[in-house]
Amino acid sequence: MTLDFAQSARSTIGIEWELALVDQQTGDLRSIGGDVLEALRGPDGSHHPHITEELLLNTVELVSGVHDTVAGAVADVAGQVEEVRAITEPLGVDPVCSGSHPFGQWFDQEVTDKPRYHKLIDRTQWWGRNMMIWGIHVHVGIEDKNKVIPILNGMLSYIPHLQALSASSPFWAGVNTGYASNRSLMFQQLPTAGLPWDLDDWEAWEGYVDDMTSTGVIEDVTEVRWDIRPSPRWGTIEVRVCDGVSTTQELGAIAALIQCLVEWMSTRLDAGETVPRMPQWFVRENKWRAARYGMDAEIILDAAGNERLVTDDVRRLIETLTPVAERLDCLTELLQLNLILDKGASYQRQLAVAASTGGSLPAVVRSLRRELRLGLPA
């Protein structure tokens, strides 16, 4: 199988942001996504070009255009949040974002009426119905398909950083799971989800897709739901490992980190250097550590097994990537990683709210609503 890779300008960026819809009074999920999308139709009846449905009707997805800067992509989806809010506010509903809803129950949620989603649920059954999860996806343009797999392999070393910074799913169906990111472990239960297989080049990726297609595992390449995957249609690498974040500050910071890492690796390849990669067993262990311990995770740094606290390594990365960020005009956003380090990741803030309110999970939802409206204090 030959997979064409679309032309894409180097290190351009796009963002997808999944938002949950919650009742302003109770904080519970509301399955009005279809109504929101209907209200957003244009005068000619056309669908909104960037706001789309997702698996569950309690969700809408915001999709930016292609941008040269992180600031442009964040402003794009932030404007879409306000479009959604203009529809939901009179209905007593607010958009929020976190990796999971603190107390929603899977059996109360309605599935979007599309063959693609019905097929997924029919195949995955209980696991599929439990996919009450929200994330952010960041696309970065790659100008040469032969760079895609080396950069993808290199990015696997930074999964724990991205997962810890974005971790926002400590609660599941009313239970404190003890995990910073329960979403990441839930999502990998789906076929073709989770960590990528160990591939050496573009031809190996084509071979994988051919195998999965010929055996009926997938119908097309979009059904490969890896944590980081090639996106041939857009000419990008798509980073999908992150939990949903509740502020544009966090969104910009994490997107900037991803854009800078990809550009940094691309520059190394241009210079004839190799991009370091880690053994798959270390990659898998790092993912679990970040999901369990979040910002307190001790992560494995390299093939030699050296370890460091993830927050300390994020600080090192900010320093290392500052020249790249200056070149990409995203230094302001990259430096906002310090805001997450100082204020805590979303899972930490949610746990703190619950602890201060006698375990009230509706109070956690109220805090998420407030963060999306107002952001984090400086």
Side-chain angles (χ1 to χ4, degrees):
M1 174 181 288
T2 299
L3 291 172
D4 293 329
F5 191 69
Q7 290 292 311
S8 182
R10 174 171 171 157
S11 294
T12 47
I13 189 162
I15 294 173
E16 302 171 17
W17 197 4
E18 297 169 349
L19 301 182
L21 303 170
V22 300
D23 189 277
Q24 292 176 349
Q25 299 302 315
T26 67
D28 208 349
L29 291 161
R30 291 275 299 273
S31 295
I32 64 165
D35 299 329
V36 173
L37 295 177
E38 281 298 312
L40 287 168
R41 284 182 182 270
D44 61 354
S46 61
H47 289 288
H48 193 289
H50 296 291
I51 303 177
T52 66
E53 81 277 344
E54 256 297 332
L55 170 65
L56 299 177
L57 283 173
N58 59 34
T59 302
V60 292
E61 182 178 48
L62 317 181
V63 183
S64 81
V66 180
H67 292 268
D68 293 323
T69 66
V70 171
V74 171
D76 189 342
V77 291
Q80 293 175 41
V81 172
E82 296 312 310
E83 289 186 75
V84 171
R85 200 190 303 280
I87 303 301
T88 63
E89 185 84 34
L91 302 175
V93 171
D94 267 346
V96 300
C97 188
S98 62
S100 63
H101 185 275
F103 60 88
Q105 299 289 340
W106 69 266
F107 45 78
D108 292 329
Q109 312 312 315
E110 298 177 35
V111 176
T112 300
D113 188 16
K114 290 289 181 70
R116 171 187 177 95
Y117 297 133
H118 290 310
K119 176 187 172 185
L120 175 66
I121 295 299
D122 182 63
R123 185 178 185 205
T124 59
Q125 293 294 305
W126 188 87
W127 284 116
R129 289 292 284 121
N130 268 274
M131 289 297 133
M132 296 186 300
I133 55 177
W134 295 266
I136 58 170
H137 302 167
V138 178
H139 290 259
V140 181
I142 308 293
E143 80 280 13
D144 178 357
K145 73 177 183 181
N146 292 314
K147 287 183 171 182
V148 172
I149 300 303
I151 292 175
L152 186 156
N153 289 334
M155 287 294 294
L156 297 180
S157 299
Y158 300 97
I159 278 181
H161 306 71
L162 297 169
Q163 196 164 269
L165 288 163
S166 67
S168 61
S169 48
F171 300 106
W172 195 269
V175 175
N176 182 345
T177 65
Y179 282 78
S181 174
N182 194 59
R183 168 195 168 273
S184 61
L185 302 184
M186 174 66 73
F187 187 57
Q188 69 184 18
Q189 304 308 314
L190 294 183
T192 76
L195 292 169
W197 294 104
D198 192 17
L199 303 175
D200 288 327
D201 51 31
W202 185 260
E203 289 71 27
W205 158 249
E206 291 177 325
Y208 167 81
V209 175
D210 186 45
D211 286 347
M212 295 296 101
T213 305
S214 64
T215 55
V217 178
I218 62 174
E219 291 187 0
D220 62 70
V221 71
T222 65
E223 294 182 355
V224 177
R225 299 182 174 94
W226 290 346
D227 293 336
I228 305 176
R229 69 180 181 184
S231 186
R233 178 184 178 188
W234 304 114
T236 65
I237 281 179
E238 181 184 2
V239 177
R240 302 158 46 86
V241 72
C242 297
D243 277 11
V245 295
S246 60
T247 69
T248 55
Q249 297 141 304
E250 293 166 290
L251 184 65
I254 292 168
L257 177 58
I258 293 168
Q259 186 191 35
C260 288
L261 284 169
V262 171
E263 172 60 25
W264 177 60
M265 293 178 196
S266 189
T267 301
R268 293 191 65 152
L269 292 172
D270 290 341
E273 302 173 14
T274 58
V275 174
R277 57 194 292 189
M278 287 208 301
Q280 286 288 299
W281 43 92
F282 284 168
V283 172
R284 184 171 298 278
E285 173 64 16
N286 270 345
K287 178 179 178 178
W288 185 86
R289 291 186 187 186
R292 170 63 179 88
Y293 300 110
M295 302 282 266
D296 293 320
E298 289 274 347
I299 62 168
I300 303 166
L301 300 175
D302 50 38
N306 293 304
E307 296 174 275
R308 182 180 293 146
L309 185 67
V310 66
T311 49
D312 289 341
D313 209 51
V314 168
R315 292 185 177 93
R316 177 193 65 82
L317 278 176
I318 293 171
E319 183 176 345
T320 298
L321 295 173
T322 287
V324 181
E326 289 174 334
R327 195 164 73 246
L328 294 173
D329 195 21
C330 67
L331 182 58
T332 298
E333 290 77 21
L334 184 71
L335 292 177
Q336 290 218 303
L337 290 172
N338 289 308
L339 188 64
I340 305 175
L341 296 174
D342 293 341
K343 301 294 183 181
S346 178
Y347 80 92
Q348 294 170 308
R349 304 193 305 268
Q350 291 181 48
L351 290 169
V353 169
S356 67
T357 57
S360 171
L361 297 184
V364 174
V365 177
R366 286 195 295 273
S367 74
L368 292 169
R369 290 172 51 209
R370 183 169 57 251
E371 286 186 353
L372 187 56
R373 282 184 182 270
L374 304 176
L376 297 177

